[in-house]
């Protein structure tokens, strides 16, 4: 039972996948956690998909078991009408898991609460949040409490509120816009994407599978769960559904489903639920204050067409837990934690926008304004070509980067990987310091390899050099080193030879 104004180490506002992943990670370290949520977000969408690529993260964090417990089955196929002709993609046994959304929430919540008795569930709605000295006072509709650190995880609605209140906007192109007004115009609101969830019975009890169909001004995703039911959503402009009564939304949604040629035939009337926000939306900065951070959809709400939303939420929660542990530890620098969170957020935004742009560009059935909302993705940069005899050096000066090591984050010498737009303190078994020393003075590739092989085996060196080349980390000296480097602007302080 929470006592009035009880002090917690961490308060997590919102119990979606990101908040629950963070709670589970924080519980492992014995920190006291208040997990606050009213449960209102679990009502509409019935099914989530979880790709095989997310399994390693889920397994490493102990979340794979709870996720699998909420699964109907893996999708065996995806039927698509996205390009000129209908297509079928066979997944085999490694298809995305189709998850019961409410059961997923319950399983993740039970897991988070089982980790530590210091994690408390508060079924309430947050009314206010105020900073008092070094703590935050959180008022709910049932109790008030204080926390040393707050994780804001209340989803898409919170993203838009924070964008308005913090003067941190991000245009639909994904680039920060700090000069534009934060007022969301009526036009922007009406052109936002919303989802209209539905459930319907289907004529045949077919295997679990997914369906994707483009419409002239929207698209439909659905999943059959192997029990004679089809669950999904119609994605559409908010302006289309604005002002409609429930019966009118149902009629409109049914009309959209009637246009779909790859969705199984229904044997019941579809049931449509309350529309929800589905637009791409992101904060330019997830660090709200020194002790308050936005995670999950509250920081970056992906366009559903890009998929992998659940994986992003889990990763965001796990990363946030590392940030919190670092900040609450007196042995590690807080600035590294802030830099880490910002860098991971920027990386997630970039990948989400690229995935969205690729999906929109891949659609070939309609050439309407809806499908022109995102610019086509730019061609991916390729590694430079050069001769074996060319003298090589690092493309960017060595820097320091915030690195997650164990449970906390700290600064470490790092090499910038331009084509990945990321940093690495290790390339395989080679440290950034090893590599930095091997390219000083600049030398041809055989000489760099020979220097590294004085203390590392041939395969280790060969594998690392391939990664360095593929990521653009090495360049011929005739290309020159740019002083206005991405590494320089990202973290400011460089690691000099003296520091190494």
């Amino acid at each position: 039972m929470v006592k009035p104004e009880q002090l917690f180490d961490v308060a997590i506002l919102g119990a979606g996948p990101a908040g629950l992943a963070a709670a589970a990670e924080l519980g492992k370290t014995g920190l006291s956690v208040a997990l606050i949520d009213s449960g209102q977000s679990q009502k509409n969408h019935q099914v989530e998909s979880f790709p095989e690529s997310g399994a390693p993260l889920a397994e490493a964090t102990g979340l794979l078991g709870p996720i699998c417990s909420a699964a109907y089955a893996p999708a065996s196929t995806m039927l698509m009408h996205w390009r000129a002709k209908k297509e079928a993609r066979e997944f085999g046994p490694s298809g995305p898991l189709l998850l019961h959304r409410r059961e997923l929430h319950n399983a993740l919540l039970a897991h988070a609460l089982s980790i530590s008795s210091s994690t408390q569930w508060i079924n309430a709605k947050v009314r206010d949040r105020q900073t008092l000295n070094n703590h935050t006072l959180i008022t709910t509709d049932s109790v008030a409490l204080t926390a040393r650190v707050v994780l804001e995880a209340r989803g898409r609605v919170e993203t838009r509120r924070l964008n308005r209140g913090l003067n941190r906007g991000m245009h639909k192109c994904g680039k920060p816009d700090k000069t534009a007004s934060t007022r969301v115009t009526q036009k922007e609101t009406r052109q936002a994407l919303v989802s209209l969830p539905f459930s319907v019975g289907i004529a045949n009890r077919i295997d679990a599978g997914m369906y994707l169909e483009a419409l002239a001004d929207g698209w439909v995703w659905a999943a059959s769960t192997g029990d004679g039911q089809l669950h999904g959503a119609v994605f559409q402009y908010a302006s289309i559904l604005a002002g409609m009564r429930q019966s009118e939304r149902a009629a409109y949604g049914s009309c959209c489903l009637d246009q779909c040629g790859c969705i199984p035939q229904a044997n019941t009337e579809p049931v449509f639920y309350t529309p929800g926000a589905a637009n791409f939306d992101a904060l330019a900065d997830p660090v709200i204050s020194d002790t308050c951070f936005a995670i999950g959809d509250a920081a970056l709400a992906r366009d559903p067409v890009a998929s992998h939303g659940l994986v992003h939420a889990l990763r965001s929660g796990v990363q946030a837990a590392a940030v919190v542990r670092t900040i609450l530890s007196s042995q590690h620098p807080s600035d590294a934690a802030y830099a880490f969170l910002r860098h991971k957020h920027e990386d997630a935004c970039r990948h989400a926008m690229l995935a969205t742009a690729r999906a929109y560009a891949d659609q070939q059935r309609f050439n309407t304004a809806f499908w022109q909302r995102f610019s086509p993705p730019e061609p991916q940069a390729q590694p430079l070509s050069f001769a074996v005899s060319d003298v090589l050096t690092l493309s960017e000066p060595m820097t320091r980067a915030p690195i997650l090591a164990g449970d906390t984050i700290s600064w470490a010498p790092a090499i910038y990987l331009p084509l990945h737009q990321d940093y690495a303190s290790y390339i395989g078994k080679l440290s950034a310091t090893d590599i930095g020393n091997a390219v000083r003075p600049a030398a041809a590739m055989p000489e760099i390899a020979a220097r590294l092989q004085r203390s590392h085996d041939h395969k280790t060196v060969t594998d690392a050099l391939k990664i360095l080349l593929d990521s653009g980390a090495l360049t011929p000296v005739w290309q020159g080193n740019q002083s206005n480097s991405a590494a320089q602007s990202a973290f400011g302080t460089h690691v000099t030879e003296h520091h190494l």
Side-chain angles (χ1 to χ4, degrees):
M1 186 67 181
V2 178
K3 300 176 182 178
E5 297 191 19
Q6 179 177 341
L7 175 63
F8 288 85
D9 291 316
V10 188
I12 302 175
L13 314 185
L20 292 171
E25 286 295 296
L26 292 168
K28 296 174 185 178
T29 57
L31 295 172
S32 58
V33 178
L35 188 56
I36 310 170
D37 191 278
S38 63
Q40 296 299 310
S41 63
Q42 307 302 320
K43 288 186 175 181
N44 295 328
H45 279 281
Q46 304 295 307
V47 173
E48 295 267 8
S49 66
F50 186 71
E52 183 187 27
S53 60
L57 170 67
E59 185 173 25
T61 54
L63 299 174
L64 188 58
I67 289 173
C68 290
S69 72
Y72 289 102
S76 59
T77 60
M78 173 181 274
L79 299 182
M80 302 172 59
H81 198 181
W82 201 255
R83 304 181 185 93
K85 297 181 180 180
K86 294 180 183 179
E87 304 169 71
R89 180 183 301 173
E90 300 290 339
F91 292 121
S94 60
L97 283 180
L98 300 178
L99 308 174
H100 190 292
R101 193 166 188 252
R102 183 176 291 277
E103 290 186 9
L104 173 65
H105 168 78
N106 292 338
L108 291 177
L109 176 60
H111 175 72
L113 295 177
S114 70
I115 296 292
S116 171
S117 59
S118 297
T119 300
Q120 297 192 43
W121 161 255
I122 302 173
N123 189 350
K125 185 174 182 179
V126 176
R127 296 296 184 186
D128 192 27
R129 185 185 71 216
Q130 297 180 9
T131 301
L132 300 175
N133 298 323
N134 295 325
H135 297 152
T136 300
L137 174 63
I138 300 165
T139 304
T140 75
D141 52 13
S142 63
V143 70
L145 56 93
T146 55
R148 298 168 65 191
V149 176
V150 175
L151 295 181
E152 179 54 78
R154 285 180 285 177
R156 291 178 178 273
V157 173
E158 195 62 19
T159 315
R160 299 182 71 181
R161 187 189 72 80
L162 290 169
N163 265 330
R164 290 194 296 268
L166 296 177
N167 194 29
R168 292 168 180 162
M170 182 168 284
H171 277 320
K172 64 183 180 182
C173 66
K175 297 180 180 179
D177 179 23
K178 297 185 179 181
T179 61
S181 168
T182 57
R183 182 175 60 85
V184 177
T185 66
Q186 185 179 16
K187 180 180 178 181
E188 288 171 336
T189 300
R190 293 176 66 84
Q191 288 187 343
L193 192 69
V194 295
S195 65
L196 181 60
F198 68 86
S199 296
V200 64
I202 50 180
N204 299 313
R205 295 176 64 88
I206 58 179
D207 292 338
M210 298 193 298
Y211 308 87
L212 183 65
E213 181 134 4
L215 305 175
D217 295 305
W219 53 282
V220 177
W221 177 86
S224 56
T225 49
D227 57 358
Q229 291 291 309
L230 186 75
H231 304 283
V234 177
F235 295 91
Q236 185 56 268
Y237 279 133
S239 58
I240 300 295
L241 302 179
M244 285 187 182
R245 295 188 293 269
Q246 172 63 24
S247 60
E248 294 171 325
R249 288 198 300 265
Y252 173 79
S254 296
C255 181
C256 290
L257 296 185
D258 289 341
Q259 298 175 44
C260 295
C262 69
I263 289 179
Q265 183 178 359
N267 63 0
T268 66
E269 287 295 320
V271 177
F272 290 90
Y273 306 99
T274 304
N279 212 45
F280 182 99
D281 209 350
L283 299 180
D285 190 350
V287 180
I288 301 170
S289 72
D290 287 349
T291 56
C292 184
F293 317 106
I295 66 173
D297 280 357
L300 166 61
R302 296 169 61 104
D303 188 307
V305 77
S307 186
H308 290 71
L310 180 55
V311 178
H312 158 68
L314 299 180
R315 183 181 294 114
S316 177
V318 171
Q319 291 169 350
V323 170
V324 171
R325 287 191 297 261
T326 303
I327 290 172
L328 295 181
S329 169
S330 59
Q331 301 176 355
H332 298 276
S334 295
D335 61 338
Y338 301 139
F340 175 85
L341 188 63
R342 285 172 169 137
H343 174 60
K344 293 300 182 183
H345 176 69
E346 291 169 2
D347 190 56
C349 287
R350 183 173 63 254
H351 283 91
M353 282 304 306
L354 179 59
T356 301
R358 284 175 174 168
Y360 273 70
D362 194 41
Q363 191 282 137
Q364 298 173 5
R365 296 183 61 198
F366 303 99
N367 185 25
T368 58
F370 181 91
W371 294 106
Q372 295 170 357
R373 298 190 305 147
F374 291 88
S375 301
E378 296 180 1
Q380 189 170 356
Q382 298 297 318
L384 292 173
S385 297
F386 48 84
V388 174
S389 59
D390 284 342
V391 177
L392 303 179
T393 187
L394 291 176
S395 300
E396 303 282 354
M398 282 194 67
T399 185
R400 65 171 189 170
I403 303 298
L404 175 60
D407 290 337
T408 53
I409 301 159
S410 58
W411 293 108
I415 289 174
Y416 184 60
L417 312 177
L419 299 185
H420 297 170
Q421 297 186 44
D422 205 352
Y423 303 82
S425 60
Y426 272 84
I427 302 293
K429 297 178 182 179
L430 300 185
S431 71
T433 304
D434 291 336
I435 297 166
N437 289 335
V439 297
R440 286 195 298 265
M445 182 61 72
E447 174 59 23
I448 294 174
R451 293 171 184 173
L452 289 168
Q453 288 179 39
R454 292 169 189 164
S455 52
H456 300 280
D457 64 83
H458 175 77
K459 186 176 187 309
T460 295
V461 171
T462 301
D463 291 347
L465 289 177
K466 184 179 187 307
I467 293 173
L468 289 169
L469 292 172
D470 290 345
S471 63
L474 294 176
T475 187
V477 293
W478 46 263
Q479 290 288 335
N481 243 353
Q482 303 298 319
S483 59
N484 185 24
S485 67
Q488 204 167 17
S489 61
F491 300 120
T493 305
H494 280 68
V495 177
T496 66
E497 188 168 3
H498 173 73
H499 291 131
L500 298 176

